[in-house]
Amino acid sequence: MERIYITTPLYYVNAEPHLGHTYTTVVADTLKRYYRSIGYDAFLLTGTDEHGDKIAQAAAANGLDPKAYADRVSDLFRSTWDACGIAYDHFIRTTDGYHTKFVQSVLQKIYDAGEIYFGEYGGFYCYGCERFYTEKELVDGKCPDHQKAPDYISEKNYFFRMGKYQQRLIDALQARPELIRPERYRSEVLAFLREPLEDLCISRPTSRLQWGIALPFDSNYVTYVWFDALLNYVSALEHRGGESIAVLWPKANHLIAKDILKPHGIYWPTMLMAAGLPLYDHLHVHGYWNMDSGKMSKSLGNVIRPLEMKARFGMDAFRYFLLREMAFGQDAKFSEEALVTRINADLANNLGNFVSRALAMQQKYFDGVVQPLSANWASEDVKLRDIFAAAEFDLKSQMEELQFHRALEAVWSALDHANRYIVQTAPFTLIKDAEKKARVGELLHHLLEAVRTLSRVLAPFMPETAVQLRDLLALGDDGLNAPWGQGFAAGHKINPPKVLFPRIESNGKK
Ligand code: MSP
């Protein structure tokens, strides 16, 4: 059986789940469901990143010790994904005991191999930010956040010999152009690698930070948060046991946004090389969601929360919008207006009306009982079937490129055709002529085949809607895959229509 291993970033617990986190997680879930639907064994990992300065500071600001604070926010991420119906297979926390052990074993291994050394590091340090700044990052010699000149401090730390792997990484990126996708992000990493690659400082002295994984070879230091967090992608598989690392790791597909390209495109592959592990299969990088007004931020009060969206618009409608509106790889704008427009146009009008018309006529003219098809199909019937088959084919190739918006466009163009088929074949007029009743039965049968196909192809994107469609057709899961024209047994009775997507008034009310 083919396999795929899909991961989201581990989200920092200093913020609560918002639009950005939800997008990546919904994409990961959609991919997992899609690969399952084409027969893969698909495994989805998500979780939380809990160590380091930022978290220690956020915990202090909330008057909690870091672990208690991380427990609270990590639970919130997990329960949010549960409520959103995200089908993750494992939720990892970087504070999990097995992860800590794994990080320490990798550190020890590469330390023993001479890949980590102790050295002096000097730089401009801002105590407000608790981090070093390069001269380029300073504005008029000051920290741009704190408007204060940083102190020059020199500190002893442990370094990973990352620079040594520069050429190997360039070679890998050239030999495997698909390693980082879309192409512009691979080019960005290659451009970065044109400058000499420095070694990576992978420790923080406990005098400055205690909230981290202790270095196994020096208890005066904790591990730098990225060196700890990236290893989750492998520690989760090791924890799962059995053949997991051997069979799943080489099939790893990481999903991230462009903000964390450098750690995933440079630190992580060089760490894997040092640890003697194969590289991931793909790193898929998407753009940023921005608000109409610019950035999304707590202080501006414009943070989009997934559970609020779910409560107001329904999870499937929100998923549809996220996947349809953003071209994976590019930035996109979020506005409630755009969301409402899409729900009304694409879901309520197009999809919703199509399904309810087909089902209502079936009910009204035949009491819900599906009518037989004759042996010779009319050309418009063949065309309808072929258009849906072509859309499904197109969808498959778009999914390989993670072009979710195009995959959905393909389905909606078939749906447009199906709506035209109703208008052109006009079953509502033909029914007035008793001699045409058998033809009306056929037309409706083809429409129900379209609904059945929609249920199958939309399942990865809108899982609840897919189940609703299947239930309206009174079919089980196994009824979805039969070829067009063979989905309904003789005498099969379907259910009356119901409103799938109520129109939303401009004030956001259904
Ligand atoms: N903890 C690190 C990742 C470690 S992975 C081993 C981290 N966490 S984060 O909470 O800041 O999450 C960043 C990720 O959240 C982005 O890469 C993206 O997946 C998602 N997004 C957060 N804001 C986003 C937008 N505004 N738009 C799109 N996605 C963004 O970085």
Side-chain angles (χ1 to χ4, degrees):
M1 189 188 250
E2 294 237 47
R3 292 194 165 80
I4 186 165
Y5 173 39
I6 300 163
T7 69
T8 73
L10 293 204
Y11 304 115
Y12 283 130
V13 288
N14 64 347
E16 298 186 359
H18 60 58
L19 171 68
H21 309 125
T22 311
Y23 176 73
T24 318
T25 310
V26 162
V27 161
D29 179 75
T30 303
L31 272 183
K32 175 187 162 176
R33 290 172 190 270
Y34 172 73
Y35 277 98
R36 279 255 160 112
S37 80
I38 59 168
Y40 278 61
D41 181 3
F43 189 84
L44 171 55
L45 179 74
T46 190
T48 43
D49 187 354
E50 307 182 9
H51 291 126
D53 281 337
K54 279 197 221 212
I55 311 304
Q57 281 179 30
N62 280 275
L64 287 172
D65 79 70
K67 181 61 169 53
Y69 171 75
D71 285 349
R72 192 169 84 186
V73 185
S74 180
D75 279 353
L76 188 64
F77 270 95
R78 194 196 300 250
S79 62
T80 300
W81 302 148
D82 288 339
C84 290
I86 303 296
Y88 61 84
D89 295 284
H90 186 65
F91 188 100
I92 184 171
R93 302 181 54 184
T94 55
T95 50
D96 284 336
Y98 67 86
H99 174 74
T100 302
K101 264 203 210 131
F102 185 79
V103 171
Q104 290 178 326
S105 76
V106 171
L107 281 164
Q108 188 68 53
K109 184 176 161 192
I110 68 177
Y111 179 72
D112 292 344
E115 299 295 273
I116 290 176
Y117 63 91
F118 196 48
E120 182 111 20
Y121 183 76
F124 294 102
Y125 191 80
C126 170
Y127 280 93
C129 303
E130 290 202 45
R131 77 164 178 102
F132 285 100
Y133 273 88
T134 62
E135 269 178 84
K136 266 198 209 152
E137 287 176 306
L138 299 173
V139 179
D140 297 330
K142 291 180 182 162
C143 156
D145 277 355
H146 294 89
Q147 302 296 326
K148 235 184 107 200
D151 294 296
Y152 187 87
I153 64 171
S154 165
E155 183 174 274
K156 290 213 154 184
N157 261 312
Y158 287 89
F159 291 82
F160 163 49
R161 294 187 197 280
M162 188 161 75
K164 177 177 151 185
Y165 293 93
Q166 177 161 13
Q167 194 53 45
R168 259 180 82 184
L169 180 55
I170 295 173
D171 293 345
L173 284 162
Q174 270 153 0
R176 289 174 55 189
E178 301 269 280
L179 193 64
I180 300 182
R181 304 197 292 187
E183 171 59 27
R184 56 200 284 210
Y185 296 109
R186 182 181 79 118
S187 313
E188 211 172 287
V189 171
L190 279 169
F192 186 83
L193 289 169
R194 269 185 224 122
E195 303 288 320
L197 183 62
E198 287 180 9
D199 289 344
L200 183 68
C201 177
I202 54 127
S203 64
R204 297 291 182 266
T206 48
S207 55
R208 205 148 58 70
L209 176 75
Q210 292 88 46
W211 183 235
I213 296 179
L215 289 188
F217 39 82
D218 190 338
S219 60
N220 293 318
Y221 290 86
V222 295
T223 312
Y224 170 47
V225 63
W226 274 104
F227 199 93
D228 152 1
L230 287 161
L231 284 165
N232 91 85
Y233 300 133
V234 181
S235 73
L237 294 184
E238 201 211 39
H239 175 63
R240 204 169 165 250
E243 297 269 275
S244 302
I245 292 192
V247 300
L248 282 177
W249 175 248
K251 303 289 175 191
N253 279 255
H254 297 313
L255 292 163
I256 59 164
K258 62 185 186 182
D259 57 335
I260 51 176
L261 175 60
K262 191 170 160 190
H264 284 83
I266 294 179
Y267 305 173
W268 184 219
T270 57
M271 285 166 66
L272 287 166
M273 288 171 184
L277 281 162
L279 298 188
Y280 45 73
D281 197 15
H282 296 294
L283 175 66
H284 305 284
V285 188
H286 64 76
Y288 242 54
W289 281 97
N290 297 310
M291 302 303 288
D292 253 0
S293 45
K295 265 203 139 174
M296 187 170 68
S297 82
K298 237 179 162 175
S299 54
L300 290 173
N302 62 357
V303 182
I304 302 295
R305 303 288 180 197
L307 294 184
E308 193 198 323
M309 292 292 115
K310 179 188 166 186
R312 291 179 54 205
F313 304 106
M315 194 61 205
D316 272 12
F318 185 47
R319 282 174 74 111
Y320 174 79
F321 175 78
L322 295 179
L323 296 165
R324 177 65 187 78
E325 193 77 6
M326 177 178 260
F328 191 93
Q330 292 164 36
D331 290 353
K333 264 209 181 109
F334 184 93
S335 75
E336 235 177 81
E337 206 186 323
L339 170 64
V340 168
T341 304
R342 280 229 178 267
I343 294 179
N344 287 344
D346 299 6
L347 301 181
N349 283 355
N350 212 340
L351 175 61
N353 275 351
F354 171 70
V355 173
S356 77
R357 280 179 98 180
L359 269 61
M361 289 191 282
Q362 192 66 48
Q363 222 37 244
K364 194 165 161 203
Y365 307 152
F366 300 102
D367 202 22
V369 178
V370 183
Q371 302 300 296
L373 291 177
S374 66
N376 295 319
W377 295 4
S379 64
E380 65 256 36
D381 303 348
V382 174
K383 190 170 171 199
L384 182 70
R385 178 198 64 190
D386 290 351
I387 281 179
F388 271 88
E392 203 168 346
F393 188 76
D394 193 8
L395 178 143
K396 279 198 170 129
S397 65
Q398 300 298 351
M399 289 303 276
E400 268 159 37
E401 302 296 318
L402 282 87
Q403 295 300 301
F404 307 99
H405 69 302
R406 293 232 174 90
L408 288 168
E409 256 167 33
V411 177
W412 258 256
S413 80
L415 195 51
D416 282 339
H417 181 81
N419 273 317
R420 281 198 298 276
Y421 173 91
I422 299 184
V423 175
Q424 282 160 5
T425 59
F428 38 83
T429 310
L430 295 188
I431 196 70
K432 294 176 189 150
D433 178 348
E435 277 180 21
K436 302 268 168 64
K437 191 157 183 190
R439 176 65 186 140
V440 173
E442 284 182 3
L443 291 172
L444 298 188
H445 192 137
H446 285 293
L447 289 176
L448 296 181
E449 284 296 16
V451 176
R452 191 170 63 89
T453 308
L454 287 169
S455 169
R456 180 174 69 238
V457 301
L458 290 180
F461 307 89
M462 298 197 279
E464 289 167 9
T465 307
V467 171
Q468 278 181 312
L469 293 177
R470 195 197 65 193
D471 291 348
L472 286 170
L473 296 176
L475 291 172
D477 246 350
D478 46 353
L480 293 182
N481 289 323
W484 189 286
Q486 295 171 36
F488 300 97
H492 183 87
K493 192 171 168 159
I494 64 156
N495 290 310
K498 63 175 190 214
V499 179
L500 294 173
F501 299 99
R503 272 191 74 82
I504 316 244
E505 303 306 326
S506 52
N507 63 5
K509 296 223 169 74
K510 285 187 188 172

